[in-house]
Amino acid sequence: MTILLAGCGDLGTEAGLRFAALGHHVVGWRRSPAKLPPAIKGVAADLSTPKLPPVPADTSAVVIAVAADSPSEDDYRGAYLGGVTHVLDALERDGAKPQRVLFVSSTAVYGDAGGGWVDESTAPAPAGFSGRVLVEAEELLRSRLAGTGTTAVSLRLGGIYGPGRTRLIDQVRSGSAVVPEDVRYTNRIHRDDAAAAIVHLATMAAEPSPVYVGVDNDPADLGTVLRFLAAEVGLNEPPVGDAGPARGGNKRCRNDLLRSTGLSLTFPSFREGYRDIIAGNGVRHP
């Protein structure tokens, strides 16, 4: 297969290396292609503009994995809606008909569920512009690809952590971490498992579902996570207090559908994942 990675930052690069390890030809579009490892053929591209490079004629899967330049609504629209639009326009322009286009979305589309469970059957209810833009991008992808023979897949990832993504560890070490006074559920996935999910859904023989929730097996209470991290790095437990608004909303995301496809997580909970990071394993791709 030829795999086109439209957007090739840390997560896209890790997925690209895994595609290449399986023997696929991998092309990565990004603004700074020289930073990509040799296993990925880097091509200069700015997905926020309509002038994109030629799509390889034998492209069998496209992964759209973009990131906004800043947490503003304009930048989110430019990155996600603009990125999806311009990639699909490029496919049409070049007559490319991949089997699948996978869009990397977020569990932010669900907003806050008051600690309740959500999954692929839960209607999106975004609380802010980021979730709303992602819902629009998912709907745009599905509507544009309907009837074309190309399957649209949205992978809604929880908070990505991993090498170089150490926000909670840094808060614990700096003494700025605060355990919320109430139970506040959080959802995450290790970068490596997120990349494995992308590769699996893009290449599996079975026809994928339109949407998958990409999280680990343990939607853990934030206080439990912070206390665990403090113990792992040999510090006292963080104080309990006002932790501010819930980051990402208070909800528990189910990953049953993703796991039913045969994907096995290397880091099934925050415990295995954070221990691996604290041990210094892995690198964040530039």
Side-chain angles (χ1 to χ4, degrees), residues 7-252:
C8 208
D10 177 45
L11 176 59
T13 299
E14 181 63 28
L17 291 172
R18 290 166 182 257
F19 279 121
L22 293 174
H24 302 302
H25 175 57
V26 185
V27 177
W29 285 356
R30 63 178 283 174
R31 292 172 185 165
S32 50
K35 294 181 179 180
L36 292 174
I40 301 173
K41 180 184 178 183
V43 178
D46 183 347
L47 298 174
S48 67
T49 71
K51 296 180 180 179
L52 293 179
V55 178
D58 61 344
T59 297
S60 53
V62 178
V63 176
I64 304 176
V66 295
D69 290 332
S70 76
S72 71
E73 184 166 358
D74 284 347
D75 278 354
Y76 263 71
R77 290 190 171 277
Y80 293 102
L81 284 169
V84 169
T85 298
H86 300 147
V87 169
L88 295 179
D89 287 349
L91 294 177
E92 288 185 5
R93 177 197 68 199
D94 298 339
K97 296 191 178 296
Q99 294 175 333
R100 292 168 194 165
V101 176
L102 185 150
F103 173 63
V104 178
S105 185
S106 166
T107 55
V109 302
Y110 295 116
D112 190 298
W117 287 95
V118 301
D119 61 15
E120 293 81 2
S121 68
T122 306
F129 70 82
S130 61
R132 289 195 297 271
V133 170
L134 288 166
V135 170
E136 289 182 47
E138 289 186 17
E139 292 174 345
L140 174 65
L141 183 74
R142 282 194 290 274
S143 64
R144 287 279 303 266
L145 292 179
T148 65
T150 297
T151 300
V153 182
S154 295
L155 176 60
R156 296 170 176 169
L157 296 177
I160 302 173
Y161 73 111
R165 299 173 184 257
T166 56
R167 179 179 58 87
L168 289 185
I169 298 173
D170 296 341
Q171 288 180 1
V172 168
R173 284 181 164 150
S174 69
S176 63
V178 177
V179 172
E181 295 170 334
D182 55 339
V183 174
R184 185 177 297 177
Y185 291 105
T186 58
N187 302 270
R188 61 184 53 76
I189 187 167
H190 192 284
R191 190 258 338 246
D192 292 2
D193 283 330
I198 289 170
V199 173
H200 180 69
L201 295 176
T203 60
M204 69 182 188
E207 181 71 4
S209 296
V211 174
Y212 289 91
V213 173
V215 295
D216 67 19
N217 304 346
D218 188 359
D221 168 53
L222 179 58
T224 300
V225 178
L226 292 174
R227 291 184 178 106
F228 168 84
L229 291 175
E232 289 293 307
V233 298
L235 295 174
N236 293 329
E237 289 187 359
V240 176
D242 182 4
R247 183 185 175 99
N250 184 16
K251 56 182 174 282
R252 288 178 280 178

